[in-house]
Amino acid sequence: MSLRQKVTSISGAPAVSSRDVHGGMTPGPAAILGLTDGRQIFVKAVPSSAPGSYRAYEREAVALGALPAAAPAPVLIGTAEIDGWLALIMSAVPGEPAGPPWDDEGARLVARACAAIGSLPAPGEVPRIGELLTDLDGWDRIEDHDEWEREHAPMLARLARRWPEWTAGPSLVHQDVRADNALIGEEATLVDWSFGCAGASWLDGARLAADVVAAGHRDGPEAALRLAERILAGLPDGASRFVVALAGMWRHRSTLPPLAGLPTLRGWQAARARALRPLLERLTA
């Protein structure tokens, strides 16, 4: 049986239309399929030749299969693993990506979705955040600082320390809130649950604030900074510390060797860390 035939068997009807929606850095196809019975489904697949992405899809399948029904997320229909490929089949979510760039209304809806997710208990099948992210002490790990980092890294490292304690919690966390992982319709739905985990209820709100600055706002950098500060002002103090820790993690990871199948990841991480510097300066002023 081919992968296409397996997807048809799992979805319960053959496809009559296909719309490519691949984005991001993960290799492999992604499409919305129209089925003969009128339904639409979303299918994405990854080859085992990209082991990091393959493991991410395996984690996402576990997370989606365990999510509470109230989570603003797609519904997993099934998975297909054949000939070195792993495919995830799920409900198609209506709406358009929140960006990039962000706007205030999209961020407002995604903030609501983040709060809804944080109000839900994490299922036992997902890891704790400290098991998923092990290098939030990135500012302590960087060996070759540039001029900006030599001035700011010591304070940033102090703020990020003991992160396993203050990021822990029982709440559901999406943990990869980005404009391209949020679909905006009447409400916002978060997709790509590869990093779903258990942690503090405000972690996704902090990720939103970081992405607004790193991905940009349609009205420019100052609008992005103001919006990020408003988001963080409504969250516990740990949220600002988490943004600091994320920037250090991305900066540290940008110095590591490339990952198979993800040739642009290290450059993306370096750009994120640099883009967050104006926000870090405001948070530590």
Side-chain angles (χ1 to χ4, degrees):
M1 181 180 289
S2 69
L3 185 62
R4 181 187 295 271
Q5 291 170 325
K6 187 74 170 177
V7 169
T8 298
S9 175
I10 292 171
S11 63
V16 292
S17 65
S18 174
R19 176 165 60 91
D20 178 58
V21 291
H22 184 267
M25 294 170 281
T26 304
I32 293 177
L33 305 182
L35 307 183
T36 55
D37 60 8
R39 288 180 296 138
Q40 287 194 325
I41 61 171
F42 173 67
V43 180
K44 62 180 182 178
V46 66
S48 57
S49 57
S53 298
Y54 200 94
R55 289 192 297 271
Y57 276 33
E58 289 178 321
R59 290 196 307 268
E60 182 174 14
V62 171
L64 286 175
L67 288 183
V75 175
L76 181 69
I77 298 171
T79 63
E81 195 169 4
I82 190 168
D83 295 334
W85 285 83
L86 173 62
L88 273 58
I89 304 103
M90 63 193 79
S91 60
V93 176
E96 297 296 327
W102 286 93
D103 60 35
D104 285 4
E105 177 61 10
R108 183 186 70 81
L109 291 174
V110 174
R112 283 174 49 135
C114 290
I117 290 168
S119 71
L120 298 170
E125 292 87 343
V126 300
R128 292 171 294 181
I129 188 169
E131 298 169 331
L132 191 65
L133 300 182
T134 60
D135 53 354
L136 284 170
D137 56 349
W139 292 116
D140 278 322
R141 300 188 184 207
I142 301 167
E143 297 180 357
D144 186 16
H145 293 294
D146 62 25
E147 183 177 351
W148 186 92
E149 291 165 345
R150 282 193 291 273
E151 178 182 351
H152 295 90
M155 178 182 292
L156 298 175
R158 286 194 296 273
L159 286 171
R161 283 173 192 155
R162 301 180 67 181
W163 62 267
E165 299 174 16
W166 49 263
T167 60
S171 298
L172 178 63
V173 183
H174 177 275
Q175 223 299 105
D176 196 18
V177 179
R178 303 197 316 253
D180 55 345
N181 281 342
L183 296 178
I184 304 298
E186 292 184 5
E187 295 290 339
T189 302
L190 295 188
V191 299
D192 193 347
W193 282 80
S194 300
F195 298 97
C197 62
S201 62
W202 42 263
L203 286 168
D204 282 338
R207 291 284 308 224
L208 170 61
D211 196 69
V212 164
V213 174
H217 191 288
R218 71 177 183 184
D219 293 332
E222 185 59 33
L225 287 168
R226 288 196 303 268
L227 177 54
E229 288 181 304
R230 290 200 302 272
I231 293 169
L232 292 172
L235 300 172
D237 290 343
S240 294
R241 296 177 71 186
F242 189 56
V243 172
V244 168
L246 284 173
M249 179 190 75
W250 283 321
R251 175 67 177 91
H252 166 64
R253 290 186 181 183
S254 74
T255 67
L256 301 178
L259 291 176
L262 295 169
T264 64
L265 178 61
R266 299 306 185 206
W268 180 88
Q269 290 165 338
R272 295 231 122 190
R274 183 170 290 275
L276 284 174
R277 288 181 177 184
L279 180 58
L280 300 184
E281 290 176 356
R282 294 193 182 192
L283 295 179
T284 57

